[in-house]
Amino acid sequence: MMTEKKNNTALKILTGILAVALVALSIYTIKFYNEEKENKEILQKEKSVIEDELNELIVKYDDAIEENEIMDQDLVNARDRISKLLDSVKDNEANLVLISRFRREIGNLKAEKDRLFRVVDSLSTQNQMLSTSLDSTSAALQQRTKLSDSLKTTNQSLSTKVDKASRLKVTSLSGEGVIVRNSGKLVENDNNRRVDQIRTCFSITSNDLAEAGEKNMYVQVYNPENELVGDELVVQHEGGTMVYSAASKVFYENEELDVCILSNTTEDKLLEGNYKVYVYNDAMLLGTGSFSLK
């Protein structure tokens, strides 16, 4: 009985010690966790400050690169090193060792920036002095070139006017739906369910300044849904690619010329409503018109 009582007492004492130890361990763990969390927050804030400083350096270099041409490559190389360091800062988890290293590298980069910018300022001063000495020479040259520029402007203006005057012009532009009879005769019809083709007609006006010869004429026909109606001819021009409904070659002899161009149709694109037609000589738009199908 006495031994059993002693064992119970020892067990209670051991249980009490373990309970106290467990409480102490819990308190230490919570304290350690809070300290670790606080340290991480401090390091994260320091990392954000470093990123801001690097971004500010990049902006300063961008401004300097924009204003200076002589030292562009040196400035660009320095900015690229800062950008790489910024990427490294962003990609790595914040810790005391990395933060210390980044701080040292920022110090070196700032020292390099100060040196480069002093050189830039020196070159800018020299350029200003050279610019001042050249101003008097430039003033004399400007006076001499004024008359030449005036004559050149006049010639360009005359050339532009002649170019515009020599372009082809069209009148009486119209579009309509037609039925093709077995005999080949075309009959006008405005019923979209009966139309076989779209006929676009116009007159090229007489123009003595225009260059005579074979002309490439194109038309675009758009249905009420703004879909191109026709064969969708893809033509490569000097300024880019154009898509047309139909095309025709005509021989122009500087006199008024009547032209009609037929565009093939498909039933799914023949809708009721207003249609638009455009006439081109190569890529040059000459006129627009419209018509309706019921």
Side-chain angles (χ1 to χ4, degrees):
M1 292 293 291
M2 183 64 68
T3 302
E4 184 178 350
K5 185 176 182 180
K6 286 182 179 181
N7 288 338
N8 289 337
T9 301
L11 182 60
K12 289 179 181 180
I13 292 171
L14 180 60
T15 302
I17 292 172
L18 290 174
V20 171
L22 181 61
V23 170
L25 180 61
S26 299
I27 293 172
Y28 175 78
T29 301
I30 293 171
K31 182 180 178 182
F32 177 79
Y33 172 78
N34 290 334
E35 288 178 353
E36 181 70 13
K37 183 178 179 183
E38 184 178 350
N39 288 335
K40 283 187 176 181
E41 290 177 354
I42 292 172
L43 289 173
Q44 189 61 39
K45 288 179 180 179
E46 182 65 16
K47 179 182 175 183
S48 297
V49 170
I50 290 174
E51 291 179 6
D52 291 341
E53 290 184 13
L54 290 173
N55 280 314
E56 184 178 350
L57 280 173
I58 290 173
V59 171
K60 289 181 178 179
Y61 272 101
D62 285 339
D63 293 340
I65 291 168
E66 186 176 348
E67 295 175 2
N68 296 274
E69 296 180 359
I70 298 176
M71 289 191 62
D72 262 7
Q73 194 55 51
D74 290 336
L75 296 172
V76 168
N77 291 339
R79 183 194 60 188
D80 290 345
R81 287 195 294 274
I82 296 172
S83 296
K84 289 179 181 178
L85 179 58
L86 178 59
D87 291 339
S88 178
V89 173
K90 290 180 177 178
D91 292 341
N92 286 282
E93 187 71 24
N95 61 64
L96 189 58
V97 175
L98 283 176
I99 292 297
S100 298
R101 180 170 70 84
F102 291 147
R103 271 293 169 206
R104 288 195 301 272
E105 293 185 21
I106 286 179
N108 294 334
L109 290 171
K110 286 184 176 180
E112 182 184 22
K113 184 212 67 164
D114 292 339
R115 179 184 64 79
L116 286 174
F117 279 33
R118 280 197 299 271
V119 176
V120 169
D121 290 340
S122 176
L123 291 174
S124 297
T125 301
Q126 294 178 26
N127 285 338
Q128 288 175 356
M129 293 174 64
L130 288 172
S131 178
T132 301
S133 65
L134 290 172
D135 280 345
S136 58
T137 304
S138 178
L141 290 174
Q142 287 177 357
Q143 192 65 28
R144 291 184 179 181
T145 56
K146 277 183 180 179
L147 178 60
S148 176
D149 288 343
S150 177
L151 292 174
K152 183 178 179 180
T153 300
T154 301
N155 288 337
Q156 287 177 341
S157 178
L158 289 173
S159 176
T160 301
K161 289 180 180 179
V162 170
D163 180 62
K164 288 182 178 180
S166 64
R167 294 175 186 173
L168 297 183
K169 297 179 178 61
V170 298
T171 60
S172 305
L173 173 57
S174 64
E176 59 186 1
V178 294
I179 299 174
V180 182
R181 300 296 190 193
N182 291 334
S183 62
K185 181 179 179 180
L186 302 178
V187 180
E188 180 183 354
N189 192 288
D190 61 359
N191 188 327
N192 65 297
R193 286 171 293 182
R194 298 189 58 193
V195 167
D196 296 320
Q197 293 179 320
I198 300 296
R199 178 167 60 186
T200 304
C201 294
F202 53 91
S203 296
I204 304 176
T205 61
S206 61
N207 187 347
D208 293 334
L209 295 177
E211 182 180 354
E214 192 174 72
K215 304 293 181 183
N216 295 314
M217 305 302 295
Y218 300 97
V219 296
Q220 290 175 330
V221 180
Y222 288 94
N223 68 13
E225 297 294 331
N226 211 30
E227 298 173 317
L228 188 70
V229 178
D231 292 330
E232 297 187 2
L233 305 175
V234 178
V235 181
Q236 182 67 43
H237 298 295
E238 184 177 344
T241 301
M242 298 280 286
V243 182
Y244 303 105
S245 300
S248 178
K249 290 184 181 293
V250 300
F251 194 82
Y252 179 68
E253 298 180 287
N254 302 101
E255 297 180 353
E256 184 172 316
L257 179 65
D258 294 331
V259 180
C260 284
I261 301 176
L262 293 171
S263 302
N264 292 320
T265 62
T266 55
E267 185 177 351
D268 61 314
K269 289 189 177 180
L270 285 177
L271 308 175
E272 180 180 345
N274 293 322
Y275 288 68
K276 297 177 182 178
V277 292
Y278 301 84
V279 173
Y280 296 82
N281 170 216
D282 291 324
M284 179 67 66
L285 178 63
L286 303 183
T288 64
S290 62
F291 66 96
S292 299
L293 294 180
K294 298 179 181 179

